[in-house]
Amino acid sequence: ACAIGSVQPANGKSVCDLCVAGRVQPAVQQLTCDECSQGSFANVTGMSICYSCPPGQSQIAVGASFCTECQAGEFNPSPSQAVCKQCDQGTYSDINATTSCTPCSPGSAQSSTGKTTCPLCVEGKYVTIANQAQCLLCDPGTFGNETGLTVCFGCVAGEVQPSPGKTNCTACDLGEYSPLPRETVCKLC
């Protein structure tokens, strides 16, 4: 009788064949080996059970002898998965075999899934909190003349900015003034 992890595919045969890598047999006296299911593997011959792919890895094929690491931009928090998941918007992963993605820092955002970085907000935009998909336009009365801003700078008294998303403020013309910071229009004297 053949032990677990081996089979006797032909009647009258005196030698048992070990299940090849990727296949197992948990019972005795069997004719065939079973393929490991998706999300599992058997890496040596003669195995009786398949191992689960660990978190951070996956295996989409059946009958596999190994698991594949999730690539940068992907993650897998659970064992026994057929495929890795793409990092969500507002997150990234720059390493392989990770179980979670990293939130974008304030001053950066990621609008796509499955990415390896979070670009800094461009001039004229900002984001104050982590895990964001989009940078926001600087409000009227403010400006952003640097990348990666978490807040926009207010126009000083005597300067204005009527439009959102700008990189500077404009001085009031002769005969006009703006008495307060963060003004959007100059007033006539």
Side-chain angles (χ1 to χ4, degrees):
C2 293
I4 59 173
S6 63
V7 293
Q8 192 172 30
N11 284 334
K13 195 173 177 187
S14 60
V15 177
C16 297
D17 295 333
L18 292 176
C19 294
V20 297
R23 293 176 174 261
V24 296
Q25 184 45 258
V28 296
Q29 297 181 335
Q30 298 299 308
L31 299 177
T32 60
C33 297
D34 301 328
E35 288 184 318
C36 291
S37 61
Q38 289 183 328
S40 68
F41 71 103
N43 59 344
V44 294
T45 60
M47 290 184 64
S48 60
I49 59 166
C50 298
Y51 295 126
S52 294
C53 291
Q57 298 185 19
S58 67
Q59 181 52 262
I60 194 163
V62 295
S65 60
F66 61 91
C67 296
T68 304
E69 288 184 344
C70 297
Q71 298 300 300
E74 300 177 332
F75 74 108
N76 192 351
S78 307
S80 305
Q81 298 301 304
V83 294
C84 296
K85 300 174 172 91
Q86 289 195 333
C87 292
D88 292 329
Q89 290 181 327
T91 68
Y92 73 100
S93 169
D94 59 357
I95 58 172
N96 292 350
T98 189
T99 58
S100 64
C101 297
T102 305
C104 296
S105 300
S108 68
Q110 181 50 261
S111 61
S112 299
T113 58
K115 295 299 179 178
T116 59
T117 62
C118 290
L120 293 176
C121 296
V122 298
E123 292 180 355
K125 293 187 175 186
Y126 74 104
V127 65
T128 58
I129 57 175
N131 207 43
Q132 297 302 298
Q134 298 288 336
C135 294
L136 305 171
L137 292 174
C138 291
D139 293 328
T142 69
F143 69 100
N145 61 353
E146 300 173 14
T147 59
L149 289 178
T150 57
V151 294
C152 296
F153 306 112
C155 296
V156 297
E159 294 185 352
V160 295
Q161 181 46 260
S163 302
K166 296 301 179 180
T167 60
N168 63 357
C169 296
T170 306
C172 293
D173 291 332
L174 284 173
E176 296 179 334
Y177 72 105
S178 76
L180 301 173
R182 297 180 167 271
E183 292 282 334
T184 58
V185 293
C186 295
K187 295 175 175 56
L188 290 173
C189 292

